[in-house]
Amino acid sequence: MSTLVVVGVQWGDEGKGKVVDLLARQADIIVRFQGGSNAGHTLVVGGKKTIVRLIPSGVLHAGKVCVIGNGMVIDPATLVEEIDALQQQGCLADLDLLKISETAHLIMPYHKAIDLAREKRRGEAKIGTTGRGIGPCYEDKMARVGIRFVDLLDETLFEAKLARNVEEKNTYLRTMLDEPELDFRTIFDTYCQLRERLRACIGNTSRYLHDAIRSGKKVLFEGAQGTQLDVDHGTYPYVTSSNTVSGAVCAGAGIAPQHIHSVIGISKAYATRVGGGPFPTELFGAEGNQLRQAGGEFGTVTGRPRRCGWLDTVVVRTAARLNGVESLALTKIDVLSGLDTLRVCTGYRYQGQDYDEVPASAHMLEHLAPVYEELPGWTEPLTDIRSLDALPTNARRYVERIESLLDIPIKMISVGAGREETILIRPSFF
Ligand code: IMP
């Protein structure tokens, strides 16, 4: 097995960054294939915290190649800032190790302005986007007016495309959104400067990955966000604007389906969601607050408090099917220490009917009743535990019950943010 896909099976923030950082030890190349700087992957190594938004979470390991795939949308200013910050801490010294797809789309200042202005106008009905311009950039990609890295490399072409887009977006910003116009020359000059910082990294990453996989290199694909935020399969319209499922690797990295060899799903031991949209097992008041404080559940990118709730196996089961998940990593189980009783959602009931997968209707999702099973809690802290046998009996039962409800083996349990704060149950992943 030479490739492995890591996907979130909830609403994002499952701890994929930590898992990818850990798995990257066994990989040669780590690839992001969708999303942009709406993601914020937190890595804690030797007590030091690093947050990456665009560069794959394998970057802390020396000598690994990091690839930004064509399915991503890139704010080049954020990317340059991220490179600078990583280089200051001694990572990515050799920029040859960073490869950026020439066909990835660029997030432009007008994308951010439109994203923020639309959210402001939506009021109560807002999606709660990260405000990074993700949706408007993917819209332009689909409308075939987006600007890609390959366009940026050709200054004359870039100037023409940018001029046309700025004119159109300024009309939209002024007349539809009542926002100030943006200055073409400022954007042009800034992006030309950023291009020179990134030029050496830009190329055909699809071909590079094809050759690498064929030559037996181990490639790790790092998903961002989670399955319930997938634009097709998530809780639409409260979703991000990309496909987050494992199938998106093919289009978003430019590799063939037979090159996807295995898929691991990442799930928290409870559930969180940031932004608007249905969340059947959400906990309000003191209970929600307790999980939020214990788990430090505040957005990595925006700092927003995350909504917290019980583990929902309906959500995970649906995601497992959509992604072809063969094993799971269960994260943040240490956060549950000290709760008398735990609840796990095993199904949904709506108007007398039972559901074992997430229904498509947002209205139904907002009004259905989760069916819960109760399990006894434990009081012991788990952060220093490194083996399944050493877990308190009730914590082990909780893990076993999740495995049996989902019929998927759990290969790894995370008991803290640090790289080493992990129980590796089945240590081979590729
Ligand atoms: P956007 O991706 O910024 O357009 O935001 C759309 C929705 O996805 C909002 O509810 C965001 O909070 C959510 N979202 C986007 N990226 C992430 C992430 O990395 N983790 C969790 N939620 C996210």
Side-chain angles (χ1 to χ4, degrees), residues 32 52 63-64 81 95 109 122 148 156 198 211 218 221 237 249 262 281 364 367 390 400 409 415 420:
R32 282 266 317 261
V52 284
K64 310 284 176 183
E81 266 172 37
L95 262 192
R122 280 187 192 116
R148 306 176 300 169
T156 314
L198 299 171
D211 293 346
K218 290 185 173 153
F221 294 96
V249 167
S262 58
T281 61
M364 205 196 261
H367 294 93
E400 285 163 3
V415 289
E420 305 310 327

Side-chain angles (χ1 to χ4, degrees), residues 11-13 38-41 115 127-132 134-135 224-225 229 238-241 273-276 304:
W11 283 277
D13 308 317
N38 48 351
H41 292 162
D115 192 3
I127 293 167
T129 73
T130 57
R132 304 285 150 149
I134 306 295
Q225 291 86 45
L229 290 175
Y238 298 97
V239 293
T240 191
S241 298
R273 164 161 217 170
V274 59
R304 290 178 291 177

Side-chain angles (χ1 to χ4, degrees), residues 3 12 43 79 108 202 216 242 282 288 300-301 307 317 347 355 371 385 388:
T3 69
L43 317 170
L79 182 55
M108 309 301 294
I202 303 167
S242 63
E282 183 166 12
T300 322
V301 174
R307 300 155 65 192
R317 183 180 301 119
Y355 294 83
V371 178
I385 292 178
L388 201 56

